[in-house]
């Protein structure tokens, strides 16, 4: 296995209200906590030879700053939560960094309220996963690492 400095690094970023996972609306989001998700994705990252940094914020500007700070990383897996539906600032931040980014939603947003059917952030992502439950985060990690590898091979 390569030493830590040679391993790809991915930011796992969660938006508003996702700190309440496990308690908030279990019919849509299940009983898994954010800490459980972070542990699962970090463990999978280690199995795949990658480091995973985890962050969550309920504040749009902080999420924008975290995306900007991930510009030198190998990828971002992001669940923007409700910001997916209206945050042009978050969309522009993702678009501004040259880092593969995959958007994840736990629930099938298309089976929910009409306002959830539109994501302003999705068009600037390299992948989009919805409705797979918390496994979507693991799929997102695999996808972003594959995109990062493709980008590295193209250089």
């Amino acid at each position: 296995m390569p030493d830590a400095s040679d391993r790809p690094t991915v930011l796992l970023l969660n938006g508003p209200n996702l700190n309440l996972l496990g308690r908030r609306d279990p019919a849509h989001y299940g009983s898994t906590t954010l800490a459980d998700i972070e542990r699962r994705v970090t463990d999978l990252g280690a199995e795949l030879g990658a480091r995973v940094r985890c962050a969550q914020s309920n504040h749009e500007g902080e999420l924008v700053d975290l995306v900007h700070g991930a510009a030198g990383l190998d990828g971002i897996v992001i669940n923007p939560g409700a910001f997916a539906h209206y945050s042009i600032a978050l969309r522009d931040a993702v678009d501004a960094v040259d880092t593969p980014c995959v958007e994840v939603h736990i629930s099938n947003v298309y089976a929910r309220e009409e306002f959830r059917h539109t994501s302003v952030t999705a068009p600037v992502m390299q992948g989009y996963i919805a409705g797979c439950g918390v496994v979507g985060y693991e799929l997102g990690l695999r996808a972003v690492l594959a995109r990062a590898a493709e980008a590295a091979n193209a250089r």
Side-chain angles (χ1 to χ4, degrees):
M1 177 175 278
D3 71 44
S5 63
D6 294 337
R7 293 175 23 201
T9 302
V10 173
L11 174 64
L12 174 62
L13 186 55
N14 280 279
N17 300 310
L18 292 164
N19 56 305
L20 300 177
L21 286 174
R23 298 186 316 241
R24 177 184 172 222
D25 196 0
H28 282 117
Y29 303 111
S31 60
T32 305
T33 67
L34 182 58
D36 294 335
I37 292 167
E38 290 174 343
R39 191 170 24 262
R40 284 172 62 165
V41 175
T42 300
D43 289 349
L44 178 60
E47 287 176 31
L48 299 173
R51 291 180 294 180
V52 177
R53 296 181 188 166
C54 302
Q56 185 277 330
S57 180
N58 295 315
H59 304 281
E60 184 179 30
E62 186 174 347
L63 292 170
V64 167
D65 288 342
L66 287 163
V67 169
H68 290 173
L73 300 183
D74 298 284
I76 303 169
V77 176
I78 183 171
N79 183 338
F83 288 140
H85 312 300
Y86 68 89
S87 178
I88 303 303
L90 188 56
R91 179 198 193 283
D92 288 350
V94 170
D95 195 34
V97 298
D98 188 23
T99 302
C101 194
V102 173
E103 183 170 329
V104 173
H105 294 278
I106 296 168
S107 67
N108 179 356
V109 295
Y110 298 101
R112 297 185 63 191
E113 303 93 339
E114 182 74 27
F115 73 87
R116 296 186 194 275
H117 298 185
T118 300
S119 172
V120 298
T121 52
V124 296
M125 302 289 174
Q126 284 70 50
Y128 183 89
I129 299 165
C132 295
V134 297
V135 171
Y137 285 97
E138 296 169 24
L139 298 171
L141 177 63
R142 290 179 184 277
V144 82
L145 288 171
R147 296 292 179 141
E150 290 168 6
N153 290 334
R155 285 183 225 142

